[in-house]
Amino acid sequence: MYLWKFKNHHEVIGLSERKLDEIEQLFKKTSKPKTIIEDIDEIKKIGCFYDSTPQGENALNIATEIAKSLHLKLKVFAAEDFYLRLKQHGDEITKKSEELKTYVDNYTEEHEVATETEVLIGGRIKNVINLIEEDLAEDEKLSQLILDKLVEHKFNLFVVGAPLLRTRQEKGFFGYYLSKIVRERQVHSNFLLIPDDLKEGRKKSMMGIVNFEQEPGSVVAVLRRAMSLLPWLGKVKILGVIQDTTIETVARSEIPEDQIDAEPDIFGVRDRIKNKFSDILDLIEVSDNLNEIKSKKKVVTGVLTSAIKIELEEYNPGLVLVRTVAKLDENMDSSVEAIARIALSEGYPVLILWD
């Protein structure tokens, strides 16, 4: 929930009071112990959804690459939205029947002949049309079948095109079907979303993108999953992003109540948050008993879309990783969905980690 006023009564928008308190506590800590990653988020089961769309083809290609690299068996679900095709055919038959009757009625009326027109449709066709028009029970729908399969198989990683299947009933960027499965709280698989137009020349590397507001824990979660994919893509860059709106909100919240007209210290707060975020990244290490991971870390500030596009263009990763922390009323964090949309629109596969 976003607040219009914070405890100092300044009208600012963007961060919750709880998040402001967390940032305040973060600044108060003068020292912090190192975070040691002692295990990886291992991938044991991988699945894929294939349809005849370009993104479905890309999903199958990438899922095959990963399964081969990790020496895993790949479970593939192949489907089309055949119902939509049948519905379109049924609508065409109904429309054609109406056109036939309208033509006859108009023609005979023009020639001043009283007419009763009856359109004849074969019983089998009638049965098909009636069946199409009937309301399906929830458990008979393709979307529910997909959900049931994901719940049943408990994939660690599920590779799917974005959007999935038809776009007639789109719900936002992901489309009707994908929007349903990525928000289903019973499904605990990490989703690897694949766009229809993949960026050419992508490197054998990963980029984990972490919004400052997601700390703590997101960087470690991203690194643990990235380490499980090292046989496929050999190195990772962690990009910490601090949005201008976050900086402004924190700066305004720090203005004393008796100086309400004072200018917020935007640059001072920006440098302070950026340094603190960099310290968090630098204090994360990998245990000696795990394979060494080649990683880079960078913190940037700015508008979310432009900042991410610039870094993607420069690094050109084979995969983008983001982490979403589920809430009671929503399985997908809005800022994470925004990052995913930016990366997908630029032609990069996006791996969404649930927590």
Side-chain angles (χ1 to χ4, degrees):
M1 178 178 180
Y2 293 100
L3 302 181
W4 289 85
K5 292 188 178 181
F6 295 96
K7 50 191 173 183
N8 61 1
H9 305 297
H10 293 296
E11 293 189 6
V12 289
I13 304 173
L15 294 178
S16 67
E17 186 172 358
R18 176 182 176 185
K19 179 54 66 175
L20 280 172
D21 288 338
E22 290 175 358
I23 293 174
E24 184 178 348
Q25 292 301 316
L26 185 65
F27 288 153
K28 286 181 179 179
K29 294 179 180 179
T30 56
S31 62
K32 185 178 178 68
K34 290 184 178 181
T35 300
I36 308 298
I37 299 176
E38 298 183 343
D39 60 353
I40 66 174
D41 192 3
E42 190 176 358
I43 297 173
K44 297 180 180 180
K45 293 186 68 176
I46 178 172
C48 173
F49 194 100
Y50 170 75
D51 56 27
S52 58
T53 63
Q55 56 268 36
E57 183 71 31
N58 290 336
L60 180 61
N61 290 341
I62 288 179
T64 302
E65 284 182 20
I66 299 174
K68 186 175 181 180
S69 298
L70 302 184
H71 306 289
L72 294 174
K73 182 178 180 180
L74 175 63
K75 175 69 174 180
V76 179
F77 300 112
E80 292 283 346
D81 192 351
F82 297 114
Y83 169 78
L84 180 59
R85 295 188 184 183
L86 287 174
K87 182 71 168 62
Q88 289 171 339
H89 288 310
D91 290 344
E92 288 174 3
I93 293 171
T94 301
K95 181 180 178 182
K96 185 63 177 178
S97 300
E98 292 171 351
E99 289 175 351
L100 290 171
K101 184 178 186 306
T102 299
Y103 178 83
V104 172
D105 290 345
N106 289 341
Y107 182 87
T108 54
E109 182 180 353
E110 181 181 339
H111 290 78
E112 299 179 347
V113 176
T115 308
E116 179 184 345
T117 307
E118 180 179 352
V119 179
L120 302 180
I121 300 177
R124 183 173 296 179
I125 300 299
K126 276 187 176 180
N127 290 338
V128 171
I129 292 175
N130 291 337
L131 184 61
I132 293 171
E133 292 179 349
E134 284 182 5
D135 290 333
L136 280 176
E138 193 64 31
D139 60 359
E140 293 180 308
K141 295 180 179 179
L142 179 58
S143 56
Q144 187 61 43
L145 178 59
I146 296 171
L147 286 174
D148 291 343
K149 290 295 182 182
L150 290 175
V151 172
E152 174 189 349
H153 286 274
K154 297 181 175 64
F155 297 109
N156 303 113
L157 183 64
F158 191 71
V159 188
V160 61
L164 173 62
L165 293 170
R166 72 174 182 239
T167 57
R168 182 176 64 85
Q169 297 185 37
E170 283 192 5
K171 288 188 176 180
F173 184 79
F174 295 144
Y176 171 74
Y177 283 97
L178 189 54
S179 292
K180 289 199 69 172
I181 66 175
V182 298
R183 288 175 170 82
E184 175 54 54
R185 298 181 67 85
Q186 294 184 73
V187 178
H188 302 292
S189 306
N190 291 163
F191 286 96
L192 175 50
L193 309 182
I194 314 296
D196 59 349
D197 188 15
L198 286 169
K199 176 87 172 186
E200 294 184 359
R202 300 187 321 281
K203 299 175 183 176
K204 297 283 288 183
S205 61
M206 297 168 272
M207 175 183 281
I209 302 178
V210 179
N211 192 329
F212 177 71
E213 296 178 36
Q214 292 181 302
E215 273 304 307
S218 290
V219 176
V220 171
V222 167
L223 280 172
R224 289 181 68 241
R225 171 54 84 214
M227 291 177 70
S228 69
L229 291 167
L230 286 179
W232 178 43
L233 300 173
K235 56 185 178 180
V236 63
K237 177 179 182 177
I238 298 296
L239 179 68
V241 181
I242 308 168
Q243 297 184 71
D244 285 345
T245 51
T246 299
I247 296 170
E248 182 178 358
T249 299
V250 174
R252 289 188 180 279
S253 72
E254 293 182 347
I255 299 175
E257 290 185 14
D258 58 353
Q259 300 178 26
I260 193 169
D261 294 327
E263 287 294 320
D265 183 14
I266 299 294
F267 295 108
V269 170
R270 181 197 63 188
D271 292 342
R272 192 154 48 103
I273 296 179
K274 188 174 181 179
N275 291 336
K276 182 58 67 173
F277 203 179
S278 296
D279 290 344
I280 292 174
L281 300 184
D282 291 339
L283 288 170
I284 299 175
E285 295 184 358
V286 177
S287 175
D288 293 336
N289 67 320
L290 297 177
N291 292 331
E292 183 179 356
I293 181 172
K294 296 179 181 179
S295 63
K296 296 180 180 179
K297 298 163 186 174
K298 183 177 182 180
V299 176
V300 298
T301 62
V303 177
L304 188 67
T305 301
S306 57
I308 290 176
K309 285 185 176 181
I310 290 171
E311 296 302 319
L312 287 174
E313 183 67 27
E314 178 182 330
Y315 195 63
N316 200 19
L319 175 67
V320 171
L321 299 95
V322 293
R323 175 195 184 227
T324 181
V325 179
K327 304 174 184 178
L328 291 177
D329 60 341
E330 185 61 80
N331 205 31
M332 174 84 79
D333 183 276
S334 58
S335 66
V336 170
E337 182 169 353
I339 294 172
R341 290 181 59 177
I342 294 166
L344 287 168
S345 66
E346 294 297 303
Y348 296 95
V350 177
L351 176 54
I352 298 177
L353 312 179
W354 304 119
D355 198 349

